[in-house]
Amino acid sequence: MRTVITGGAGFIGSHLCDYLIKKEHEVVCIDNLLTGKTENIVHLMGNCQFHFIKHNVSDYIYVDGHVDNVLHFASPASPFDYLEFPIQTLKVGSLGTLNSLGLAKSKKAKFLLASTSEVYGDPQVHPQREDYWGHVNPVGPRGVYDEAKRFAEAMTMAYHRYHNVNTRIVRIFNTYGPRMRVKDGRALPNFMCQALKSEDITVFGDGSQTRSFCYVSDLVDGIYKLLLSDEHVPVNIGNPEEVTILQLAREMITLTGSKSKIIFKPLPVDDPRIRQPDISRARKILNWEPRILRKEGLSKTLKYFKDTLDNNEK
Ligand code: UDP
């Protein structure tokens, strides 16, 4: 198997590279390193199963030789990033998806799109099932990510229906684990690093909004199962265990034994009030469900951030 992963130097992309190399795939990782990092893939450099191409997939993608799978994971994914890079986010979700689909079509390869729970926007249905069409503000600041991913899903289905490309769409819910960046901007890494540095923990709004956090190894497992399945319509992959953001902040203080205080900051525009995946379809079709409890996942992630912060200080 020869698999192209766009965004392969990112948080989830790099875990996928590792997973597929263990499954004996040859992996071609393409990343322009806008939000991805060479540190995430440096351990794979020199491995003859791994090739890295530094390239922006919003421009035409050229890959030599045969390709069996194209996994399109390139995109800024933290609200903090897509507010800083709105045009790049729109381009990689639209032109990047078009180019990745074009590559899959020309190589007669399978294609898998990394979509997101953000396609549901600020949802009015709870938990979110795949047949819910969502509640997205197209012109709000988050619209650049949400609408790009909604367009990407439409484009993927069009290539499937019109060009017969063998496609998959995974809707990824909040995911965490090692290789998230210290300055990622998302709640979980922010809270963990703030707690470790005894800084104030910044809860946006009153912290009553909810999210459901999936450990990265569970996610990658689900994505692989989806790739092997025959499912063309979107499938939610995430952990349904839902928490309020305030509860997450408190858990972080307990976990680290930190002296940090919780402070409250304004809620960002269009911040979803609630989020929880309905994973009935993944359970049924893929025989998949998450196995790592938050307590376990958080302690693995804690070790990673401790080491990273220690190294940054050296
Ligand atoms: N959030 C927070 N403090 C932070 C970062 C985020 O309270 O320092 C909140 C954010 O407003 C949202 C939730 O935590 O309600 C999850 O945000 P995140 O950026 O992790 O991802 P999202 O699920 O919104 O894409």
Side-chain angles (χ1 to χ4, degrees):
M1 281 283 149
R2 191 157 186 261
T3 299
V4 171
I5 308 182
T6 78
F11 162 50
I12 296 176
S14 66
H15 283 283
L16 263 174
C17 289
D18 288 344
Y19 190 95
L20 294 180
I21 280 176
K22 280 206 190 102
K23 297 274 178 198
E24 297 185 353
H25 287 226
E26 187 182 329
V27 170
V28 180
C29 163
I30 309 181
D31 204 302
N32 68 344
L33 304 176
L34 179 70
T35 56
K37 289 190 305 179
T38 40
E39 287 94 313
N40 291 342
I41 49 168
V42 72
H43 59 288
L44 297 174
M45 302 288 191
N47 181 328
C48 61
Q49 275 170 263
F50 183 76
H51 313 273
F52 174 65
I53 302 173
K54 184 169 184 294
H55 177 69
N56 182 352
V57 295
S58 299
D59 298 327
Y60 183 86
I61 308 169
Y62 178 77
V63 176
D64 217 1
H66 87 277
V67 173
D68 300 291
N69 307 294
V70 177
L71 313 184
H72 182 38
F73 278 72
S75 178
S78 151
F80 184 81
D81 288 329
Y82 50 74
L83 298 186
E84 191 181 354
F85 305 115
I87 313 287
Q88 290 96 325
T89 303
L90 279 160
K91 283 175 84 175
V92 75
S94 54
L95 303 175
T97 303
L98 177 67
N99 292 331
S100 305
L101 278 162
L103 176 69
K105 176 171 165 267
S106 72
K107 303 283 184 182
K108 298 189 170 42
K110 240 186 230 181
F111 176 84
L112 186 144
L113 172 71
S115 186
T116 167
S117 55
E118 284 282 325
V119 299
Y120 303 122
D122 186 9
Q124 293 172 316
V125 167
H126 196 68
Q128 293 76 55
R129 284 163 41 126
E130 290 88 345
D131 56 7
Y132 174 49
W133 292 353
H135 181 229
V136 171
N137 174 6
V139 294
R142 295 176 90 100
V144 297
Y145 184 64
D146 303 8
E147 294 296 5
K149 289 292 188 182
R150 289 168 68 95
F151 174 91
E153 289 197 2
M155 181 68 96
T156 301
M157 290 310 293
Y159 264 66
H160 173 61
R161 293 189 181 117
Y162 189 75
H163 288 310
N164 264 318
V165 176
N166 190 0
T167 59
R168 311 280 182 276
I169 298 174
V170 56
R171 288 190 181 146
I172 300 172
F173 282 67
N174 293 67
T175 302
Y176 69 101
R179 300 192 191 149
M180 289 188 105
R181 293 159 307 161
V182 169
K183 295 206 163 76
D184 178 273
R186 279 177 278 199
L188 198 144
N190 267 12
F191 293 175
M192 197 168 264
C193 294
Q194 288 162 341
L196 284 171
K197 294 196 274 181
S198 302
E199 292 172 357
D200 290 342
I201 297 191
T202 54
V203 167
F204 299 162
D206 62 4
S208 62
Q209 69 272 36
T210 68
R211 294 294 186 271
S212 309
F213 295 93
C214 184
Y215 189 66
V216 65
S217 63
D218 278 335
L219 178 90
V220 167
D221 213 32
I223 290 170
Y224 185 67
K225 287 194 160 148
L226 179 61
L227 186 68
L228 298 187
S229 78
D230 288 322
E231 195 61 23
H232 300 298
V233 290
V235 179
N236 289 339
I237 298 283
N239 189 323
E241 207 191 332
E242 188 180 8
V243 276
T244 68
I245 290 301
L246 186 57
Q247 188 184 335
L248 182 74
R250 289 190 179 130
E251 278 179 12
M252 224 56 93
I253 292 176
T254 312
L255 179 77
T256 53
S258 169
K259 292 194 176 60
S260 292
K261 286 195 307 292
I262 294 175
I263 59 162
F264 295 89
K265 295 218 163 175
L267 191 68
V269 177
D270 296 335
D271 198 284
R273 288 288 320 147
I274 44 175
R275 183 181 290 154
Q276 184 194 36
D278 181 323
I279 58 164
S280 318
R281 293 196 59 235
R283 279 198 173 106
K284 191 163 161 229
I285 297 164
L286 310 178
N287 192 23
W288 173 88
E289 62 181 0
R291 284 178 304 189
I292 311 277
L293 295 175
R294 203 166 56 254
K295 198 163 177 231
E296 184 186 350
L298 285 180
S299 33
K300 289 181 193 224
T301 311
L302 182 66
K303 183 178 173 335
Y304 168 79
F305 276 115
K306 265 187 187 158
D307 293 348
T308 308
L309 291 174
D310 284 352
N311 287 339
N312 286 356
E313 269 166 26
K314 275 178 203 156

